[in-house]
């Protein structure tokens, strides 16, 4: 399974991606608005990759490794997940994105996210996706808006007290 855009290639995240993804996940600026905002250790990234690979095996969808087609470099993630951290919106499927700081400002996040949305609506037949964005993350708010998503609600992530905006897109 591979998705291609003009500049990017997306494929299921694998355990072998842990080393390259660890550098992205260790960057405090990349992780600032994700979960608790703490950078991830290499061990946490290895666990994430193993869990993502198992999810793909079991369900046929999940997190995508995003690479530049021109270089083959891993530049981030395109995410399709169940946002269990926000029970009030369940059942739902979330589209997310995480791009290496050195690649910010190139339009990779909306390009990757559009491919993930296309997969969700096309291959999976979903009729609705959401994106849960930290209220202070202006760049991700812009990505959600570029995808045509509409603000569905503002809330707080339980246990983290993080302000969250839930954006919605229907097929």
């Amino acid at each position: 399974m591979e998705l291609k855009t003009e500049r990017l290639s997306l494929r299921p995240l694998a355990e072998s991606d842990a080393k390259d993804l660890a550098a992205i996940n260790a960057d405090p600026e990349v992780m600032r608005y994700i979960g608790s905002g703490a950078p991830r250790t290499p061990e946490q990234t290895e666990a994430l990759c193993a869990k993502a690979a198992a999810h793909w095996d079991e369900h046929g969808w999940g997190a995508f490794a995003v690479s530049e087609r021109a270089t083959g470099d891993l530049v981030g993630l395109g995410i399709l997940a169940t946002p269990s951290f926000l029970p009030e919106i369940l059942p739902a499927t979330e589209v997310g994105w995480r791009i290496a700081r050195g690649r910010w400002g190139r339009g990779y996040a909306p390009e990757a996210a559009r491919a993930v949305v296309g997969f969700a609506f096309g291959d999976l037949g979903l009729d609705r996706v959401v994106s849960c964005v930290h209220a202070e993350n202006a760049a991700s708010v812009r990505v959600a808006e570029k995808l045509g998503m509409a603000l569905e609600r503002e809330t707080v992530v339980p246990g983290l007290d993080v302000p969250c905006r839930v954006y919605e897109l229907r097929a």
Side-chain angles (χ1 to χ4, degrees), residues 112-128:
R114 274 189 205 97
V116 174
V117 167
F119 175 77
F121 289 161
D123 295 50
L124 299 181
L126 299 180
D127 62 0
R128 173 183 177 263

Side-chain angles (χ1 to χ4, degrees), residues 11-21 45-54 56-57 63-66 74 77:
R11 58 166 174 72
L13 188 65
E15 291 185 61
S16 59
D17 293 313
K19 183 180 177 189
D20 291 334
L21 184 59
T45 298
E46 287 174 11
L48 168 78
C49 290
K51 184 177 176 182
W56 269 101
D57 288 344
F64 289 88
V66 177
L74 182 79
L77 298 175

Side-chain angles (χ1 to χ4, degrees), residues 138-157:
S140 280
V141 167
R142 283 192 304 278
V143 172
E145 291 170 347
K146 285 179 183 179
L147 293 173
M149 299 184 115
L151 182 63
E152 193 267 332
R153 74 177 71 191
E154 295 192 30
T155 189
V156 174
V157 177

Side-chain angles (χ1 to χ4, degrees), residues 73-103:
D73 293 346
L74 182 79
V75 297
L77 298 175
I79 301 162
L80 202 54
T82 301
S84 54
F85 61 89
L86 199 57
E88 71 186 72
I89 67 169
L90 296 176
T93 302
E94 181 183 21
V95 172
W97 44 86
R98 182 178 311 166
I99 301 296
R101 185 169 18 154
R103 300 310 204 286

Side-chain angles (χ1 to χ4, degrees), residues 23-73:
I24 297 169
N25 284 349
D27 186 328
E29 283 302 305
V30 171
M31 301 306 293
R32 180 178 178 187
Y33 296 118
I34 298 171
S36 68
R40 304 303 192 268
T41 66
E43 295 78 19
Q44 289 171 316
T45 298
E46 287 174 11
L48 168 78
C49 290
K51 184 177 176 182
H55 191 277
W56 269 101
D57 288 344
E58 185 176 343
H59 301 286
W61 60 273
F64 289 88
V66 177
S67 300
E68 287 177 324
R69 290 178 65 180
T71 64
D73 293 346

